[in-house]
Amino acid sequence: MVNKDDNKKDKSFIEDLPSAEELLKARGIDLEKDKSKKKQKRETDSSKRTIKQFDAKWHKKDILQAITYVIVTLICTIRKGPFLKAAFITARYLLAYYIYGIVVVMLFIGLTKKPLKYNPTKKQIIKWVLFMAAFFAVSQFVHEGFLMFTGQWPPK
C-alpha cells in the first residue's frame, strides 16, 4: 500500500516533469506561431469575402442611361390643360416620383447592403433613383391609360 502522507511530503517527482509547453517545443511545435498562423488564415478567409464595389466613374453609357431615364419620366408625367396648372401638376408628380425613388432605393440599400456585401457608389445610387422614378412614372402612366380605356377616367 501507498502511504498518502509520503506522497504529500515528496513532491519533487512532479517538479522534475517537463511542462506541456516544453514538450511541444522539444518536438518543434511553437504555440505562439500556431496561433498567429490560425489568425492569419482567418484573416485571409475573411478577405476572400470581398465587398462588391461599383465603378464610380461616369462613362458615356451611364450618362446616356441617366438622360434616358429622365426623358422617360418627363414623357410619362406631362399633363395637359392650362399651362400654369399643367406645369404645377407635372412638377408635383415629378417631385413625388423622385422622392419615392430616393426612399425606395435607400430602403433597399439599407436592407440588403450587409447581407449581400456590396457598397454602392453615388453614381450607382443616382442611377437606381432615376430608374425607380422612371418606373413609377411609367406605371402611373399605364394605370391612367387603363382607366381611360375602361371609361373610369377622369375620377369623379
Side-chain angles (χ1 to χ4, degrees):
M1 285 194 162
V2 178
N3 189 354
K4 292 181 181 177
D5 294 332
D6 290 341
N7 285 342
K8 289 182 180 176
K9 292 178 186 173
D10 187 24
K11 293 186 180 181
S12 63
F13 70 92
I14 294 175
E15 294 173 359
D16 293 338
L17 291 175
S19 67
E21 292 174 357
E22 291 172 351
L23 288 171
L24 290 172
K25 283 184 182 177
R27 290 194 171 232
I29 300 171
D30 190 9
L31 292 178
E32 296 301 319
K33 288 182 182 177
D34 289 343
K35 287 179 184 177
S36 65
K37 285 180 183 178
K38 287 181 182 178
K39 187 176 181 181
Q40 287 175 351
K41 186 177 179 182
R42 270 188 259 132
E43 288 174 358
T44 56
D45 288 345
S46 65
S47 67
K48 289 179 184 175
R49 295 183 225 142
T50 57
I51 294 176
K52 297 173 191 167
Q53 293 286 341
F54 294 102
D55 186 18
K57 187 178 178 186
W58 284 90
H59 300 285
K60 186 176 181 180
K61 178 183 171 185
D62 299 322
I63 294 170
L64 290 174
Q65 195 174 24
I67 290 171
T68 304
Y69 291 150
V70 170
I71 290 171
V72 167
T73 307
L74 283 172
I75 289 172
C76 293
T77 308
I78 293 176
R79 303 288 183 231
K80 68 176 185 174
F83 178 73
L84 288 176
K85 186 176 180 182
F88 177 73
I89 292 172
T90 301
R92 189 177 72 184
Y93 274 101
L94 283 173
L95 181 65
Y97 296 147
Y98 285 109
I99 288 175
Y100 290 158
I102 290 169
V103 170
V104 168
V105 167
M106 290 300 139
L107 281 172
F108 283 156
I109 290 172
L111 292 172
T112 62
K113 185 176 182 180
K114 198 168 187 178
L116 299 180
K117 293 179 179 47
Y118 68 96
N119 192 15
T121 60
K122 288 181 184 178
K123 178 192 91 168
Q124 192 65 38
I125 293 171
I126 291 169
K127 283 175 57 178
W128 288 342
V129 167
L130 293 175
F131 171 77
M132 292 306 291
F135 175 77
F136 295 138
V138 170
S139 63
Q140 180 70 25
F141 183 75
V142 169
H143 174 69
E144 290 174 358
F146 173 78
L147 291 177
M148 284 175 55
F149 288 127
T150 58
Q152 302 175 42
W153 189 262
K156 295 176 183 174

